[in-house]
Amino acid sequence: MTFMRAVLLAAVPLAFAQVDPPGPPFPNSTYPNATDPLTDSGAMWNETSPPSYPSPWGTGLGDWSAAYASAQAFVSQLTLTEKVNLTTGVGWEGEKCVGNNGAIPRLGFKQLCMQDSPLGVRDTDFVSAFPAGVTIAATWDRALFYQRGFDMGSEHRDKGVDVQLGPVVGPIGRTPAGGRNWEGFAPDPVLSGIAVAQTVKGIQAAGIMACTKHYIGYEQEHFRQGAPPTSVTEPISSNIDDVTMHELYLWPFADAVRAGTASIMCSYNQINNSGACQNSWTQNYLLKNELGFQGFIMSDWSGQHSGVSSALAGMDMTMPGDEGFDSGTSFWGTNLTIAVLNGTVPQWRLDDMAIRIVAGWYYVDREANQVANAPTFSSWTLDTYNYQHFYASEDYTQVNYHLDVRDEHAANIRNFAAKGTVLLKNNGALPLSGKEKLTAVFGSDASENQYGPNGCSDRGCDNGTLAMGWGSGTANFPYLVTPLEAIKAEVLSNGKSIEDVIDDYAYAQQNALARRVTDVGGACIVFVNADSGEGYIVVDDNEGDRNNLTLWQNGDSLIRNVTTFCNNTIVVMHTVGPVLVDSFYDNENVTAIIWAGLPGQESGNAITDILYGKVNPGGKSVFTWGASRGEYGADVIYEPNNGVLAPQEDFAEGVFIDYRAFDKLNETPIYEFGFGLSYTTFSYSNLQIAAHSAPAYAPTSGDTPSAPTYGTVSNNTADYLFPADIERIPAYIYPYLNSTSLSASSGDPLYAINYTFPAGAYDSSPQPLLAAGSKVAPGGNAALYDVLFTVSATVTNTGGVEGDEVPQLYLNLGGPNDPKVVLRNFDRITIAAGASATFTADITRRDVSNWDTVAQDWVISSYTKTAYVGSSSRKLPLSATLDLSGVSTSPSGPSSYASSSHSSSSTTAAGYSSSSSIPTLTSSYGHHSAPSGYSRPGGYYSTSA
């Protein structure tokens, strides 16, 4: 399908009737013991939303001003086709990276190399395999977040990458079985927001661009792109209300924008029945207007489903450029050139795309961070010599230079993994001395993949020890230290005995060895795991998302067999998220339980550091461990629930995911969010809260400047014909025309059919700024980050050894629809035995605010707000009320927070109720114009467009 045909076919309105959904999908989209909906009726079946146009143009806010000035000078020199080249990938396997846009040879501007992953450089050799996001998050350590980002960015830079496709805060982890949760940090917006901000800063300090992803509501793998193996024709729709969007899913993206992320990747799913990469509300209104994002929006690979519509809705770069992998056709490329020439995409919109991309280049100083022969690798082969254009099999040359870019990162990786290890139970069994008479190691998770650590493409199997999940978020291991070999080295260094049974099903051998360990007073260490990944790979019938929350590879039976005979069983779990431990956690023969996460290449060394006390565990769980799957408040949709149309994933639980859901449902977790033990103990005392004088909150007002244009566009189509001196590469995406006739060059039989694009999309006049936005710097209204209070408390190490503690600050915002507590700050502190340290944390205006759907701004409700400090979400011994009497609590104008009520069940705009009076603006791809006389409501949000 050509570009214009796709646009025109999708332009036909597909009006969905608002119908009651059928019975709950399997498994239930909301768990059986939950109240449905828990909070907000705005997350509704077949939800739609208003459009938001025009696409805001970047202005160089904050510290982007110098980068914008350089980008404007550069883009002013470009021709139309050169600008299009910046925006469009050359096609899958067209060049050496997983994504490359077009070059501008005339000015010496090379193609940009976009390369996975959020834990290392994918598809090449002599790089490091870092711990996954979920493991680094468990350190709760800002310095380590930053260092890991810097180390990864340095390796990408030295391999010649321009954009690292990471970090990840979407998925945030709405459902515990979500396949890609491990690529992100935690199902909490504040922990994820701090982690992503520090990671972005680290990556970009290394001199490359970060691409924060996946924006937004991408919370499961099933149906993310529709299509096979089912008959579903459209990607799943994440139906999210305005409050939930702001208070949960958008929160960490705001932190990434404020940290200066150069790029954001739009996701595969739909948001309220409009594709994420052409959703004008999420891209134009939320990201570029409210958050003031100055970088560029890049599509996920084949996540673009239209041409003109995605451009007008705010997308800036298409990856990998072709409609389908190796199709040779593109929604942009030639068709974007045509769209500018025929006026369906205004020049200022194309110029803004180009400015944003080039500004990102200057913002991280890519010019000063180049390497020879970049990129120095090929994503398609590890051979030294192969084809430059892999799919076309053209230009045979040296494609891999096998540069070793690992530097001294192994030591950091070992430290990251050890400090992200969480001790969940310890009855005095740990730390081991290394002098146990007999140590027995059980389970395939302790050993090597029989095919080698990289023997399964993109880690698409669960063989041997689990050190990362599967999919595009992976990297090749330069080596993988297994737990068995590291423990064996430790034991042998002490002259003791070690044996193992790594066959998970060798029951007789397991039992015999376990019995002997008990007889001689030794230690049994059982390794188990649970895996997941991206949906294009299926492992043991798990289509990305986990089918259940149980241990893999017979793990529960392995633990049962060993504990039946061994009275000192230590369980070590490498998992992508929570698993059900109810069958063994309280077994008296289970003397210790460790969550070792996804530790990367130094797995064995890191766990040995913990087991033998070389590192005192200080990690804290970044998710809740429930006794049953039914306690989590949300689940994956595994079966189509809307016929062949987009499955409807109603986020009816609102902000109540993970620990918030457990609190809401009065469920008692086995191990709560934020929980983790140490080889020492800590106490808390002396809570102090100091109020600060902050300026009154002022909603942003005023207008933007007019949309600028750079250079001129010739209307002579002959100027854009394919150059005679270029030899075409098969399936390669070019910006040139094949004919001076635009319709003939398009080749679309429906070219020039009468169609009205969205109202306002072509308006280049000054546009009003949003109240929650900013004219100062990216990230939203700057006053949101004013510090209102500083909290301090004394933390004392009451044990006998030095250790790390993570004091955590939670707030109760007081409203009837607010969670019991929400995390707002934390720190990781090293404290000597018997000593005390002071925990200090700030509370900002954003921290005490709720989103007001009518005012479309953050407000502080009149409810009493309480601060809590402790060691986990459920161990909060210190508390105090916040005195907000002197704080400006709300913006001027109408508000749904009239003194007594913060009701997140209100999703209405001024003049609209949440019923049929809301105008229907529905299209599967969001190609709609506003009805006559219709203006964007101030508060209604359940997006589309």
Side-chain angles (χ1 to χ4, degrees), residues 112-116 156 161-166 208-211 263 296 298 317 366:
L112 300 184
C113 168
M114 273 60 72
Q115 192 70 15
D116 297 305
H156 280 83
V161 175
D162 296 290
V163 182
Q164 178 179 345
L165 301 178
I208 67 162
M209 292 178 268
C211 179
S263 177
F296 60 98
M298 175 198 304
M317 179 187 287
R366 286 297 301 135

Side-chain angles (χ1 to χ4, degrees), residues 665-685:
L665 299 170
N666 293 317
E667 297 286 356
T668 301
I670 293 175
Y671 304 116
E672 69 269 19
F673 175 84
F675 174 80
L677 299 174
S678 170
Y679 295 151
T680 188
T681 53
F682 300 94
S683 67
Y684 286 74
S685 63

